């Protein structure tokens, strides 16, 4: 199953490249040449319309800061964002930590400048949860042998890479000892476990602890956490190195200093709780490329073929 999934991902990269080429000059091409539009894309983690809404205050703020239209680019999977930015069609990409490192390995000319944080003053970071139903009889990763296990995507940090490292440490070969199922999003993976489509699964902590419960899609106690990862570096926003230098400087400063619920609420870009991004958090804090060296170290441990 893993072989066919990776083949599908490779085909997805090729299809995206063909689609982007066929579209002719893009908004990203225009902005790189000093045009009037900046393209922002995010890896999928929830239903696409709600994902755009969760970033809209940040998009509106970036538009005010740069004087340009900021367009949200819907992406169907992680590969589409990586290939889109590599092809020069995306100016700002919201990655997961692993997909950012993978993008850099694939030659994407972009640099992480800000990482998502759940609360003001926190360092950018989050956890991967191993989850199951309360009555499953599963009490840890060692109990997953022979089970159906939901992952998010082969390029997801908390939905695949860190869980793979955890499984290996528990003596479980993720390629041969379990039946992997790729759900495409953190919410989809968690809900598949709750519905019984998978015996267990993996998703980021915010999805399980708050987001799905607040949306009424999960009830408290409906899922049980049987494993927690070490802290994962917070998901980065990576700005294209090819963006006009002055625009890039404005975008970088805005993401680091103003892409947070305090500033956005005070300046009329959002109201109420103003929870931002796919984690529904406070906003962003400054990061750089070296902040993600921990992901590279986990790659060394797992020797995952995608890390190469």
């Amino acid at each position: 199953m893993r072989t066919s999934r990776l083949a599908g991902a490779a085909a997805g990269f090729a299809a995206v490249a063909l689609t982007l080429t066929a579209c002719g000059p893009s908004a990203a091409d225009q902005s790189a040449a000093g045009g009037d539009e900046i393209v922002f894309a995010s890896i999928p983690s929830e239903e696409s319309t709600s994902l755009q809404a969760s970033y809209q205050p940040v998009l509106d703020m970036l538009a005010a800061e740069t004087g340009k239209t900021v367009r949200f680019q819907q992406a169907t999977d992680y590969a589409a964002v990586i290939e889109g930015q590599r092809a020069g069609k995306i100016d700002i990409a919201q990655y997961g930590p692993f997909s950012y490192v993978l993008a850099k390995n694939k030659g994407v000319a972009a640099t992480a400048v800000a990482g998502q944080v759940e609360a003001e003053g926190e360092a950018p970071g989050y956890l991967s949860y191993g989850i199951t139903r309360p009555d499953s009889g599963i009490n840890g990763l060692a109990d997953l042998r022979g089970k159906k296990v939901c992952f998010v995507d082969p390029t997801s940090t908390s939905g695949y890479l860190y869980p793979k490292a955890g499984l290996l440490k528990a003596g479980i070969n993720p390629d041969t000892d379990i039946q992997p199922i790729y759900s495409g999003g953190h919410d989809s993976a968690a809900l598949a476990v709750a519905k019984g489509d998978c015996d267990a699964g993996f998703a980021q902590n915010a999805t399980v602890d708050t987001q799905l419960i607040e949306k009424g899609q999960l009830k408290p106690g409906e899922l049980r956490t049987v494993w927690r990862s070490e802290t994962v570096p917070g998901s980065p926003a990576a700005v294209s190195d090819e963006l006009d230098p002055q625009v890039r400087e404005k975008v970088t400063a805005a993401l680091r200093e103003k892409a947070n619920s305090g500033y956005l609420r005070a300046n009329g870009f959002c109201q109420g709780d103003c929870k931002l991004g796919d984690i529904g958090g406070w906003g962003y804090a400054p990061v750089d490329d070296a902040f993600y060296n921990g992901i590279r170290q986990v790659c060394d441990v797992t020797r995952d073929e995608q890390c190469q």
Side-chain angles (χ1 to χ4, degrees):
M1 180 177 295
R2 176 164 166 74
T3 301
S4 62
R5 171 64 178 177
L6 290 174
F13 275 113
V16 170
L18 287 173
T19 300
L20 291 170
T21 301
C23 290
S26 71
D29 295 328
Q30 295 174 25
S31 63
D36 295 326
E37 188 171 73
I38 292 173
V39 179
F40 182 109
S42 173
I43 57 171
S45 64
E46 55 181 301
E47 197 271 326
S48 59
T49 54
S50 60
L51 185 61
Q52 177 173 352
S54 70
Y55 285 106
Q56 196 61 52
V58 175
L59 305 182
D60 293 341
M61 181 273 293
L62 289 172
E65 290 293 311
T66 62
K68 298 180 181 293
T69 300
V70 180
R71 176 168 61 86
F72 185 84
Q73 178 65 57
Q74 181 175 325
T76 56
D77 56 28
Y78 286 53
V81 177
I82 295 172
E83 185 59 28
Q85 193 161 45
R86 182 169 67 171
K89 312 298 182 182
I90 295 170
D91 299 303
I92 307 168
Q94 177 62 57
Y95 288 111
F98 181 32
S99 54
Y100 168 70
V101 170
L102 179 60
K104 295 289 284 187
N105 290 349
K106 289 181 174 293
V108 173
T111 304
V113 300
Q116 290 182 325
V117 295
E118 292 190 37
E120 183 177 7
E122 288 186 354
Y126 60 101
L127 300 177
S128 171
Y129 278 180
I131 51 177
T132 187
R133 294 178 304 284
D135 60 353
S136 68
I138 295 170
N139 296 305
L141 299 190
D143 296 331
L144 296 186
R145 191 180 304 275
K147 303 294 187 181
K148 290 183 179 180
V149 180
C150 271
F151 297 95
V152 173
D153 184 281
T155 57
S156 171
T157 315
S158 57
Y160 179 73
L161 185 66
Y162 274 64
K164 181 175 182 178
L167 287 166
L168 290 170
K169 186 176 180 179
I172 300 293
N173 186 322
D175 296 321
T176 59
D177 292 341
I178 61 174
Q179 301 176 52
I181 297 172
Y182 296 96
S183 301
H186 291 270
D187 55 346
S188 300
L191 293 172
V193 175
K195 293 175 182 176
D197 295 335
C198 291
D199 300 302
F202 297 94
Q204 64 183 14
N205 60 302
T207 301
V208 177
D209 287 341
T210 58
Q211 292 173 2
L212 291 177
I213 292 174
E214 288 176 352
K215 292 178 179 179
Q217 293 177 282
L218 277 181
K219 298 177 181 177
E222 194 171 355
L223 292 176
R224 182 164 54 92
T225 301
V226 297
W227 175 82
R228 291 172 173 83
S229 72
E230 61 184 75
T231 300
V232 181
S235 298
V239 182
S240 171
D241 298 338
E242 299 174 356
L243 194 61
D244 176 88
Q246 291 185 340
V247 176
R248 191 179 194 283
E249 184 176 346
K250 289 180 180 179
V251 167
T252 299
L255 287 171
R256 289 177 170 178
E257 301 167 11
K258 300 179 179 180
N260 60 73
S261 59
Y263 178 90
L264 296 171
R265 190 187 305 111
N267 288 275
F269 293 105
C270 59
Q271 299 177 348
D273 291 340
C274 192
K275 294 183 177 181
L276 305 172
D278 58 315
I279 67 170
W282 177 78
Y284 289 86
V287 300
D288 58 16
D289 180 77
F291 188 70
Y292 297 92
N293 285 342
I295 303 297
R296 298 174 175 111
Q297 292 171 3
V298 173
C299 275
D300 291 340
V301 170
T302 61
R303 297 182 180 181
D304 190 85
E305 58 192 277
Q306 296 182 96
C307 294
Q308 307 306 314

